[in-house]
Amino acid sequence: MPTRSCEPARKHDVQDSEQKRGEPLTRALLPITVVLASLLLSVSGNSLLGTLLSVRMAIEGFDRELIGPVLAFHSIGFVLGTMFCPPIVRRVGHIRSFAAFAAIACIAALMHPLIVTTISWALLRGVTGFCVAGLMMVMESWINDRTSNDLRGSIMAFYMGTQYLGQGGGQFLLGFGDPDTTILFIISAALVAASLVPLALTRSRAPELEYHEPMGLRRLLRISPVGIVGALVAGTVMSAFMAVGPVFAHEAGYGVRDISVFMGVTVLMGMAMQAPVGFLAARLNRRTLVLMISTIALALVAPLLMFAADSFSALLISSSLFIGFVGSIYPLSVALTNDQLDPHHVVNASATLLLALGAGTIIGPIGASIAMAAFPEEGLFLFLGAALSVMVIFALVRAVSVGAGKVRRRSRYMPGAPAPTTQVILEMDPSNPDFHPHVITPEHERRRGPDRRQGHAPGGRRRTDAWDSNE
């Protein structure tokens, strides 16, 4: 069989890539619209399920000290997924792996009301977390591949905004059903299943899966100890609030619709606070700003302790401001760390910060549930205050001992997602000088592809597992 030279196609790819530079944002968003739609649906379903399980466990009478560990298995599964999902995606392809992860996550959601035990729910949460990591990797690699170099900061902001909308929207869905029935579990599974549709129908060429090894923890601790501690504390506080906050609200006597509004508004407030904090991060010393934000968040624990159980308005206002400030600690920690790094080390350092954030999301629910078991009314907020006190004291000691610190360059502040992401999206960080813009595959190449049937002349019946979408 004669072989065809790839040089003309490569030249065409490079020319198309060059033409894409300087493209308007609206045009750049079109190739990733289906990915953002899948992201919105999957995050909404997973967000609904997490809050639903918190409330349902309180209704079922689970021991307080066990609620957090059960929910923490989601974070354990997610961290394991970031390590073991990349080989799966590379082996079977993006679409097939996405379909498998989505199907397993749907099954896990539907199994919860069928087997209501501590052990079974912990295992199901672990399976769900593992699958969510796989889903996120596929979607993030697709976004990376479709993003041009000069617009990656804007595209990453849209990605984070979609995460917030999905996380907040999933909370509001809790008010559309009774947690004591199966309807909300079905809705959660349906949303995750629906996330498969946009990607399954795309004809776009599947991307390469980028994966970066984390920088050594000891090395990064020497470079930016405040960054590491900030990531750990941010993960601890955010996960404790998101996992155990609904339990507190239920035991305080608030109804399901109140809980859905309480959780949804706090998440969206976290998104709203990213812009003003980003404005300050561009003008103030970032170590000082981390200390200021952490101190304000710590001060907001006081009204939560005093009024949250008695006044829904006080709970809503205080918790919204609290999460707004806490949600800024992690992206500030990333920016502070990047300021002290060579640009070529940014992605590897961010991968280590993600692991610290993931460790915090495991610690948070466990510590908060133990605190609630010891102090039923005040335990959650006492734990949040203790975690933030560690952050404030550590940042203050560093500020006194080393001052402003050395800044190699002023990196760009990027909004943080309301839940951990995977290492894949780090490639698109505007601080990463090694980012390679996507290459547009010519239409005739994308539609035809190589004929992999040995001994069969080209031009015959096409395989159904299309090369351009699945591999």
Side-chain angles (χ1 to χ4, degrees), residues 54-301:
S54 297
V55 177
R56 181 65 180 267
M57 281 192 281
I59 293 173
E60 295 286 347
F62 280 54
D63 292 337
R64 290 192 186 97
E65 61 268 23
L66 295 179
I67 292 177
V70 168
L71 297 173
F73 266 82
H74 182 276
S75 297
I76 296 173
F78 189 93
V79 172
L80 292 175
T82 61
M83 295 187 287
F84 294 105
C85 285
I88 298 174
V89 176
R90 293 191 185 101
R91 187 181 308 118
V92 304
H94 283 68
I95 294 294
R96 293 190 185 97
S97 58
F98 191 91
F101 292 137
I104 296 171
C106 289
I107 294 170
L110 295 173
M111 288 294 292
H112 283 91
L114 301 180
I115 311 175
V116 185
T117 65
T118 302
I119 295 176
S120 63
W121 279 23
L123 293 176
L124 289 172
R125 290 306 286 158
V127 169
T128 302
F130 186 94
C131 292
V132 168
L135 294 172
M136 297 296 293
M137 279 190 168
V138 171
M139 291 185 286
E140 289 172 358
S141 62
W142 228 297
I143 292 172
N144 277 350
D145 192 67
R146 301 296 182 267
T147 301
S148 58
N149 190 39
D150 51 344
L151 289 177
R152 53 183 164 143
S154 300
I155 297 298
M156 195 169 185
F158 268 92
Y159 165 81
M160 296 300 180
T162 305
Q163 279 256 38
Y164 268 105
L165 291 176
Q167 190 81 8
Q171 307 296 328
F172 286 112
L173 290 175
L174 182 69
F176 287 88
D178 183 357
D180 208 16
T181 64
T182 60
I183 182 64
L184 291 175
F185 291 97
I186 295 172
I187 292 175
S188 172
L191 287 170
V192 176
S195 71
L196 175 60
V197 177
L199 278 182
L201 295 179
T202 185
R203 291 182 57 83
S204 300
R205 175 180 56 85
E208 295 291 329
L209 181 61
E210 298 284 349
Y211 183 83
H212 296 271
E213 291 295 329
M215 180 183 288
L217 180 60
R218 290 184 180 179
R219 180 184 176 189
L220 193 57
L221 270 173
R222 289 195 299 268
I223 296 172
S224 180
V226 173
I228 287 286
V229 174
L232 180 67
V233 171
T236 300
V237 174
M238 284 290 290
S239 63
F241 187 93
M242 297 302 295
V244 186
V247 179
F248 163 82
H250 177 269
E251 294 189 351
Y254 296 115
V256 174
R257 292 196 176 182
D258 288 340
I259 295 174
S260 69
V261 172
F262 154 57
M263 296 300 295
V265 170
T266 54
V267 171
L268 296 181
M269 185 63 178
M271 179 176 68
M273 283 294 295
Q274 297 297 315
V277 172
F279 177 84
L280 294 175
R283 289 159 177 80
L284 302 179
N285 177 272
R286 288 173 175 175
R287 180 179 285 115
T288 304
L289 188 57
V290 168
L291 176 59
M292 289 172 53
I293 295 293
S294 301
T295 303
I296 295 172
L298 177 59
L300 286 167
V301 172

